[in-house]
Amino acid sequence: MTLEDRYRRLLAWYPKEHRASYEEEMLAVLLVGAAPGRERSSVRETYDLLRGAFAIRLRRAVGSVSRRRWHAAFHVAALLAPIWLLVLEVTRAAGYAVAAVLYPGTGPEMALKTFAIAVPYAVIAFLAWRDSPRVAAIVAWGWTIAYAWLVASPPDLGLSPVHVAWDSALFPGVGFGSVVRFVLPACVMAVMLTLAPSSGPAPLGARRLAGWTAVILMSLVAWIPLPGVGLLPLLGGAVAAVVAMRSAVGRRAVLILSPLMGVTLGWSRWVEDPANLPVVAASSVAVLAVTAWLARTGAPTSRPENA
C-alpha cells in the first residue's frame, strides 16, 4: 500500500460531501509535505486528520440540518417503539400457539394471555400513527402501570403472565425481578412517547410504516435460535439493519430505539442481574435525553427528509 493510499484511507473518515470538495486538495498538500521515500503517515498527521474528521462530523451532528433530522427521527422512533413491542409480543404468542398445536397438553392459555398483552401496544401504535403522541403517551403510562400490577399479581389470580425467553426457559411473572424484566420495555416506550416533540412531521404513510414493521420483524427473528438454519437469522438481521439505516433519519431513529432494543433483546444478560439495572437505566436515559434535546431544538421549517 502506497503513502497516497494510506492518506486516502484516513481521508475516508471525512463526510462524503467534504471529500467531494476538498479531498484532492488535502491529499496534494499531504503528499507535498511528506518526506521522500515515506510509506506511512506520521502519528501527528494521523491524529490531525482523524481529529478534523470527527470535528466536522460532530458539528454536522448538532447543526441545523442534522437537528431537523433528529426531530423527524424521534417521531419515527416514538411510533416504532410500540410497534416493536407489539411485534415482539405477537411473535411470542405465535410461538405459544404453535406449541399448543404440537403439544396439546400445554393448552392455549399462554398464547391467549400473551396476545392480550400485545393489544395495548397496537392501540398505542395506532394513536401515535394518527399523530396523537400526547394521548399515546398517557395510554402508554397507564398500560405500564397496569402491566406492572399484572406481572406482580399473585399467581392464584391467574393474571400473572409467563413468558418464554429465547432459550426456551420459563419465567413466572412474580416479584420485582419479573416486573423489571417485562415492564421495563413498556416504561422505555412510554418515556419515548413523552419526550417526543409536540410538533411533528407528516405521519408515515401506510406503505412506509409497513416497511419499518417488516424491518422490526426481521430484526427480532434474527435473535430467535432456529435449529438447522445456521446463520440465516443473522443474515436477516443484517439486511434489516441495512434497510433501516440507509437514510439519515433512519440511522438516527435506530440510535434512538437502541435503549428499547437493548432491554428487549439483551435483557437476559443485562436486566436479569439487578446490579446491572442502574447501568441500563443510566445509558437509556442518556441516549433518550440527548436525542430528545436535539429533536426539540430542531423543529423543521419545512418538511424533513423522509425516513
Side-chain angles (χ1 to χ4, degrees):
M1 181 180 296
T2 65
L3 180 61
E4 179 179 347
D5 293 333
R6 296 184 188 279
Y7 280 142
R8 287 190 182 278
R9 291 182 63 177
L10 291 172
L11 293 173
W13 288 94
Y14 285 79
K16 182 178 180 180
E17 297 82 2
H18 188 276
R19 295 200 310 272
S21 301
Y22 303 108
E23 181 176 13
E24 296 304 323
E25 180 181 349
M26 294 174 67
L27 181 62
V29 171
L30 289 168
L31 290 175
V32 168
R38 278 181 50 191
E39 296 182 357
R40 294 180 178 274
S41 59
S42 66
V43 175
R44 180 60 183 270
E45 287 175 333
T46 301
Y47 170 76
D48 287 342
L49 288 172
L50 292 179
R51 183 188 61 177
F54 286 117
I56 291 175
R57 289 188 178 275
L58 180 60
R59 287 197 297 269
R60 293 193 174 198
V62 297
S64 59
V65 174
S66 182
R67 290 194 179 195
R68 288 196 294 270
R69 291 169 177 170
W70 282 113
H71 185 94
F74 209 104
H75 276 278
V76 172
L79 169 60
L80 295 178
I83 295 177
W84 177 280
L85 297 179
L86 170 64
V87 174
L88 179 63
E89 296 297 346
V90 169
T91 303
R92 286 172 170 166
Y96 288 128
V98 171
V101 172
L102 297 179
Y103 309 100
T106 59
E109 292 81 5
M110 284 306 307
L112 295 175
K113 192 181 296 186
T114 306
F115 182 77
I117 292 173
V119 173
Y121 297 125
V123 175
I124 296 168
F126 177 77
L127 291 172
W129 185 50
R130 298 300 297 175
D131 202 21
S132 303
R134 293 295 166 259
V135 179
I138 293 173
V139 175
W141 282 115
W143 166 241
T144 300
I145 295 171
Y147 193 17
W149 179 79
L150 288 173
V151 173
S153 63
D156 55 1
L157 292 180
L159 298 174
S160 183
V162 178
H163 287 291
V164 173
W166 298 129
D167 59 359
S168 300
L170 286 171
F171 290 97
V174 179
F176 175 77
S178 293
V179 171
V180 171
R181 277 196 290 263
F182 300 128
V183 181
L184 184 58
C187 184
V188 173
M189 172 199 66
V191 170
M192 292 176 63
L193 288 167
T194 303
L195 293 178
S198 56
S199 59
L204 294 179
R207 181 177 179 182
R208 192 171 294 279
L209 182 63
W212 272 104
T213 303
V215 169
I216 290 173
L217 179 60
M218 293 175 65
S219 300
L220 291 173
V221 169
W223 285 77
I224 302 177
L226 301 175
V229 297
L231 297 177
L232 182 60
L234 294 180
L235 178 61
V239 172
V242 170
V243 171
M245 300 180 70
R246 65 180 179 177
S247 72
V249 172
R251 290 191 293 273
R252 287 164 173 77
V254 170
L255 176 61
I256 298 168
L257 280 168
S258 61
L260 182 63
M261 293 187 290
V263 298
T264 52
L265 300 181
W267 68 267
S268 61
R269 297 188 297 274
W270 303 334
V271 185
E272 186 175 1
D273 185 356
N276 293 334
L277 182 58
V279 177
V280 174
S283 59
S284 299
V285 168
V287 171
L288 294 179
V290 172
T291 54
W293 173 73
L294 291 170
R296 287 176 176 273
T297 56
T301 56
S302 59
R303 175 169 292 190
E305 174 186 339
N306 288 333

